Amino acid sequence: QVQLVESGGGLVQAGGSLRLSCAASGRTFSRYAMGWFRQAPGKEREFVAVISWSGGTTSYADSVKERFTISRDNAKNTVYLQMNSLKPEDTAVYYCAADYRGWATTDIGGYDSWGQGTQVTVSS
């Protein structure tokens, strides 16, 4: 079981940037994919971005394309989410998750381990 801890959330003005980190510890699995999801109050958790083990495959939700960039540093067991041009509608708790199969799926059901989340608030 991989333990995931998010960090880097906070308050930022619209148009600003924020970089989230997710550090993995404990038992890890070779070639696992990592994803980011978010959940706003009153809404379901939704897919944001995913990256394969090698970083060669990435996928983004339409709402964040060309604004967010997912990356990873396997030597540090860490995945990042660079968020630019933030909008108030990006306000949510952001969660990272590990997909042990390494399929880099956008499906929330395809993930095996989850972090506790980090709050991102974008003010107008």
Side-chain angles (χ1 to χ4, degrees):
Q1 182 78 10
V2 177
Q3 295 180 342
L4 306 173
V5 180
E6 301 93 339
S7 62
L11 176 64
V12 64
Q13 292 185 337
S17 298
L18 207 59
R19 190 192 194 201
L20 306 183
S21 298
C22 175
S25 62
R27 183 181 180 185
T28 59
F29 299 87
S30 297
R31 305 188 65 80
Y32 60 94
M34 293 289 294
W36 285 96
F37 294 77
R38 67 186 183 185
Q39 187 168 21
K43 297 183 179 180
E44 295 184 355
R45 191 169 300 186
E46 66 176 358
F47 167 78
V48 175
V50 64
I51 187 168
S52 64
W53 171 259
S54 68
T57 299
T58 59
S59 184
Y60 298 90
D62 289 342
S63 59
V64 306
K65 285 181 178 177
E66 300 188 9
R67 297 191 299 119
F68 291 10
T69 302
I70 188 171
S71 62
R72 67 191 299 166
D73 184 342
N74 290 341
K76 297 181 178 180
N77 290 323
T78 301
V79 64
Y80 306 95
L81 185 68
Q82 179 66 47
M83 305 184 294
N84 298 325
S85 302
L86 283 162
K87 305 174 181 179
E89 48 263 47
D90 295 318
T91 296
V93 176
Y94 283 70
Y95 301 87
C96 65
D99 165 20
Y100 298 161
R101 300 170 302 177
W103 293 356
T105 181
T106 62
D107 183 3
I108 191 171
Y111 290 82
D112 305 285
S113 296
W114 292 82
Q116 293 301 117
T118 186
Q119 177 71 48
V120 172
T121 302
V122 184
S123 66
S124 60

